[in-house]
């Protein structure tokens, strides 16, 4: 464990069902190992089951706080895992989208992987940004005014994006680095 993120509060989103387990657990562990305090935030408190490969049941995790009871001021950074079903549920949750938008507007770093960038599209923060995602989101990102690239990890002014679970080592390393840097001025 390092202490690069001591005194850093991070929110990690989770959907009621459909969040990809490894994309939730590995980034959460990476920032916790770096010293961050991590809150699991969802639509309602209680246990939530994740998935593996979008089909098989994964483990269960406790939602500690709801989107509606927290604010961007509570956190220094945000993590949004993927999973097609989970990401679709998150982008349909107006409280989740508003919280993401507020964190983004505050210049705080955000890490998003796989299908998670759907929430970025919904929050209207993609225009003029370069990012990556699961390849099937390419058109959505381009239609929202972003530049989609097929790279392991992409950083654009504190916004860290990655494609899939295979990219988790690079994604986690870059997330910790960007979270340590803190706020970014965004154009």
């Amino acid at each position: 464990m390092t202490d690069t993120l001591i005194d850093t509060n991070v929110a990690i989103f989770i959907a009621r069902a459909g969040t990809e387990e490894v994309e939730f657990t590995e980034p959460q562990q990476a920032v916790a190992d770096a010293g961050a305090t991590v809150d699991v935030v969802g639509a309602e408190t209680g246990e939530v089951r994740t998935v593996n490969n979008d089909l098989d049941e994964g483990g269960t995790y406790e939602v500690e706080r709801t989107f509606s009871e927290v604010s961007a001021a509570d956190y220094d950074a945000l993590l949004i895992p993927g999973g097609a079903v989970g990401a679709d549920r998150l982008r349909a949750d107006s409280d989740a989208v508003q919280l993401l938008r507020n964190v983004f507007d505050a210049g705080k770093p955000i890490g998003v992987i796989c299908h998670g960038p759907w929430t970025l599209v919904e929050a209207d923060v993609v225009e003029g940004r370069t990012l990556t995602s699961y390849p099937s989101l390419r058109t959505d990102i381009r239609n929202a005014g972003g530049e989609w690239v097929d790279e392991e990890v992409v950083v654009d002014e504190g916004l860290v994006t990655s494609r899939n679970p295979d990219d988790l080592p690079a994604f986690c390393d870059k997330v910790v680095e960007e979270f340590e840097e803190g706020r970014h001025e965004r154009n």
Side-chain angles (χ1 to χ4, degrees):
M1 179 175 135
T2 66
D3 62 357
T4 59
L5 296 180
I6 294 290
D7 297 326
T8 301
N9 295 316
V10 177
I12 185 168
F13 283 7
I14 193 168
R16 169 89 2 230
T19 295
E20 186 73 26
E21 186 171 31
V22 71
E23 294 173 359
F24 172 79
T25 58
E26 287 195 22
Q28 178 189 36
Q29 191 64 53
V31 297
D33 286 349
T37 300
V38 185
D39 285 343
V40 179
V41 183
E44 54 190 51
T45 57
E47 286 194 352
V48 173
R49 182 167 299 282
T50 58
V51 296
N52 293 303
N53 302 317
D54 287 329
L55 302 172
D56 302 326
E57 283 190 354
T60 57
Y61 301 89
E62 188 73 23
V63 175
E64 299 159 327
R65 302 184 75 189
T66 65
F67 300 126
S68 63
E69 71 183 8
V70 300
S71 74
D74 297 327
Y75 299 103
D76 302 298
L78 174 63
L79 285 168
I80 303 175
V85 173
D88 191 52
R89 287 187 172 151
L90 289 173
R91 73 178 175 161
D93 187 308
S94 61
D95 290 329
V97 171
Q98 187 61 55
L99 179 57
L100 164 60
R101 179 65 199 219
N102 293 345
V103 170
F104 182 88
D105 287 346
K108 297 177 181 181
I110 301 171
V112 189
I113 189 167
C114 200
H115 287 82
W118 265 337
T119 58
L120 299 172
V121 170
E122 195 64 33
D124 196 26
V125 299
V126 170
E127 187 170 354
R129 307 262 170 249
T130 299
L131 59 153
T132 194
S133 67
Y134 195 77
S136 64
L137 277 63
R138 171 181 47 242
T139 300
D140 296 326
I141 290 166
R142 288 179 178 155
N143 286 343
E147 179 184 346
W148 186 88
V149 295
D150 186 12
E151 295 178 16
E152 182 177 58
V153 65
V154 174
V155 179
D156 187 323
E157 297 176 340
L159 178 61
V160 182
T161 54
S162 204
R163 301 173 300 193
N164 59 54
D166 293 338
D167 299 334
L168 277 165
F171 177 70
C172 290
D173 287 347
K174 193 51 78 171
V175 160
V176 169
E177 179 183 319
E178 290 298 309
F179 286 14
E180 183 180 0
E181 286 181 18
R183 291 180 189 254
H184 289 72
E185 291 298 319
R186 295 196 171 111
N187 301 325

